[in-house]
Amino acid sequence: MKVLLLGSGGREHALAWKIASSPLCDALFIAPGNPGTADCGQNVDLDILDFPAIHQFCLDEKIQVLLVGPEEPLVRGITGFLRRQPDLKDLIICGPDAVGAQLEGSKAYAKAFMAESGIPTARYGEFNRDQVDEAIAFLDTFTPPYVIKADGLAAGKGVIICQEKEEAIQSIRGMFDGEFGSAGHTVVLEEFLAGIEFSVFALTDGKHACILPVAKDYKRIGEGDTGPNTGGMGAVSPVPFIDQQMMEKVMQRIVAPTISGLTRRQIDYQGFIFFGLIAVEGEPMVIEYNCRMGDPETEVVMPRLSTDLLQMLVAMHERKLDTITVEMDPRTAVTVMLVSGGYPGSYPKGLPVLGTDGTPPDHTWLFHAGTRQIGDQLVTNGGRVLACTGMGSDLREAQSRAYALAGKICFDHVNFRRDIGRDLE
Ligand code: AMP
Ligand code: GLY
């Protein structure tokens, strides 16, 4: 089969590596890809938001499977656009249409969906720019900290958590005044949930769901979960405190009602659903949905997924995911993200990266995230630069392999957390 994968981060490198390992894969193109994905297939210079150009590429290269990595093309409707093309009627597309992608694209939509489907989540209120006074008054129905969310996509930055009411009011006003562009024209205020977060991933064909390995990511920049939020500084899979009993609760109370809710709303959802969950006193609740895989969770989930992903995508298209048994490597995977000094604030790009030559040692993977190749030299090209994944028979072994790989790589002002997985020991 000929596959086109959209995206250019660590998630896409991990997906590209997995797809390329499938005996069903005849050709893999990655648009635009990165120097890491170039080892798994052919990078192509396509804008992932230029849907007519992607349509034409699919025709020219006789693409049979399209896998959309990031959320933006999905929220902007790539799936519906391509499904409307009569000459692409057999294309397998992994990723929902614009309505399904609203689960991620609009927090207000997701909250209403969960309320309607009886899915456990934080109590909330939704307010638009004409309801400033109502929004401020609604804060009094909570005890601090206050959770304020811009409704739309805000590159992972649209959630503000504050202790003081005055700060909460300023945050609400800031969102309405356009701090996050149109994403903040509607805000969601919700109850703060205290617990431990974890990520569950499902691949759904609209009727059935296959559950992928569970992961935990580390969002804060600083060790001990301190400092500002980032896209993710590392991840671990599996998560020791998520046992069979917890997964059964997740299936019954969250995954199954989500699939039924999509059916009730007549949303034909084929693709990944990422459930951002929190265990509150042992009970799972939803913090957020995403309509794609997580990053850096994919960098630990794909190495642990033994089942052929391409075979799963074919079954998804045929609505036969119930016939797939997801096989997982029982070992533990840990990934450590090497980031540019200054990230998640401003940081330089173009710094030479040393130590990445050759094949990584057994049981390790080096996934490129923000890198660029200039002639023979690899240079930094983003905040999150490289994900170093190690697999081992236990958490300790996986950590030591991931950190040994990380220790070989250097670029000026490299930063990484040294405590990925430590809270799970
Ligand atoms: P989101 O963009 O919705 O994933 O939110 C980003 C992060 O904010 C989450 O991963 C949580 O750590 C935190 N967060 C969001 N909503 C809540 C909530 N209701 N209670 C506690 N923490 C939250
Ligand atoms: N790691 C969280 C995300 O991908 O949104």
Side-chain angles (χ1 to χ4, degrees), residues 71-89:
E71 62 280 9
E72 202 176 351
L74 295 169
V75 173
R76 293 212 199 175
I78 188 170
T79 300
F81 176 87
L82 296 177
R83 279 195 182 146
R84 285 191 295 275
Q85 310 299 328
D87 46 13
L88 288 183
K89 66 178 176 20

Side-chain angles (χ1 to χ4, degrees), residues 50-73:
D50 185 346
F51 302 162
I54 292 166
H55 174 203
Q56 192 57 48
F57 183 85
C58 289
L59 291 177
D60 292 346
E61 294 296 337
K62 301 188 172 54
I63 297 296
Q64 292 156 290
V65 180
L66 175 72
L67 175 51
V68 185
E71 62 280 9
E72 202 176 351

Side-chain angles (χ1 to χ4, degrees), residues 11 217 219 231-232 274 288 290 292-297 384:
R11 166 182 52 214
D217 89 339
K219 286 201 168 74
F274 165 167
E288 63 163 353
N290 294 303
R292 50 165 174 93
M293 288 296 293
D295 195 351
E297 290 96 325
R384 294 191 292 172

Side-chain angles (χ1 to χ4, degrees), residues 205-220:
D205 57 16
K207 284 202 226 162
H208 319 99
C210 280
I211 303 296
L212 303 176
V214 178
K216 178 180 191 300
D217 89 339
Y218 292 75
K219 286 201 168 74
R220 305 293 198 92

